[in-house]
Amino acid sequence: MQQDIQKVIITEGEIHSMVRALAHRIQAEHNGETLHVVAIYDGSILFLADLIRHMSIPLRLYGLRAKSYFGGTQSTGRVEISGFDPAEVRGQPVLLVDDILDTGLTLHAVRRQLEEAGAMSVKTCVFLCKERIREVPVEADYHCRTIPDEFVVGYGLDYRGLYRNLPFVGILKREVYLP
Ligand code: IMP
Ligand code: MG
């Protein structure tokens, strides 16, 4: 696995201090509320586990899977969610957690479904933001770091299901995914 990594861009130590600081910031801004954390699996699970263990406010945890269907052009992305009924968080303050914000299609679509189901508020939280133009209008209310537009793996992020267990974030060598 390590031999497929071109460069480590975020070390294990950096991840832990960034995630801890972000958790403290989020909890300070939600004092007195029971936070309803809705996480997008599988990519977010390592970030999610570290993030919530640094929070001491009451929270409920929900998980969903999001499947993207992309049509012939870039803008026809459609996202279907499963494993969770957005009505469960009606009237509640929601923290929507994902691993990385790239085109924005996933976060935008899931946020809209939560809002349509009547969530009181939806704040978005991702571990990483890619520096690129989003295809839909969505940004993260909370994130740990902005990274260049490169394909990265580790700390939950995968390529074809692999590399999620790397404790750092690294750029995947192009020869791994290019023919
Ligand atoms: P978006 O809908 O394009 O914003 O993409 C979000 C999803 O694409 C994330 O939840 C990731 O699963 C996946 N993704 C985007 N960029 C990367 C990457 O660099 N490495 C691994 N997965 C990525
Ligand atoms: Mg993924």
Side-chain angles (χ1 to χ4, degrees):
M1 286 211 301
Q2 309 262 353
Q3 70 276 8
D4 295 341
I5 303 303
Q6 185 200 309
K7 187 183 172 200
V8 173
I9 59 165
I10 314 177
T11 65
E12 190 173 0
E14 288 173 316
I15 290 172
H16 290 297
S17 50
M18 289 191 306
V19 174
R20 190 173 50 237
L22 187 65
H24 291 162
R25 185 181 149 210
I26 294 170
Q27 94 170 0
E29 293 178 14
H30 291 82
N31 209 356
E33 292 179 324
T34 298
L35 197 54
H36 288 59
V37 178
V38 176
I40 302 177
Y41 296 156
D42 298 318
S44 72
I45 57 176
L46 278 81
F47 173 50
L48 171 76
D50 288 339
L51 186 76
I52 66 172
R53 94 180 71 194
H54 289 299
M55 294 185 184
S56 53
I57 55 168
L59 62 82
R60 290 202 175 87
L61 180 59
Y62 307 83
L64 60 84
R65 278 168 204 275
K67 209 174 174 186
S68 311
Y69 299 88
F70 298 99
T73 68
Q74 290 171 313
S75 56
T76 54
R78 192 166 72 82
V79 177
E80 212 167 77
I81 74 175
S82 61
F84 167 73
D85 178 1
E88 288 182 63
V89 294
R90 178 174 297 140
Q92 304 296 343
V94 171
L95 184 74
L96 177 58
V97 179
D98 201 2
D99 50 2
I100 189 165
L101 180 61
D102 184 20
T103 67
L105 289 168
T106 309
L107 216 55
H108 184 261
V110 177
R111 186 181 67 186
R112 198 175 50 204
Q113 292 189 42
L114 293 164
E115 285 168 351
E116 283 171 1
M120 185 182 92
S121 60
V122 181
K123 290 273 177 71
T124 52
C125 174
V126 293
F127 174 53
L128 300 174
C129 282
K130 263 193 206 178
E131 204 165 22
R132 56 161 288 164
I133 310 263
R134 310 275 174 248
E135 292 182 17
V136 285
V138 63
E139 281 308 323
D141 295 301
Y142 302 105
H143 73 287
C144 285
R145 188 177 287 183
T146 298
I147 60 161
D149 190 6
E150 299 271 6
F151 195 82
V152 294
V153 293
Y155 196 59
L157 290 148
D158 73 302
Y159 173 63
R160 295 195 168 171
L162 295 173
Y163 310 101
R164 292 195 199 276
N165 53 321
L166 292 175
F168 53 79
V169 175
I171 297 174
L172 193 61
K173 283 184 182 164
R174 284 176 185 269
E175 68 219 47
V176 175
Y177 57 93
L178 292 179

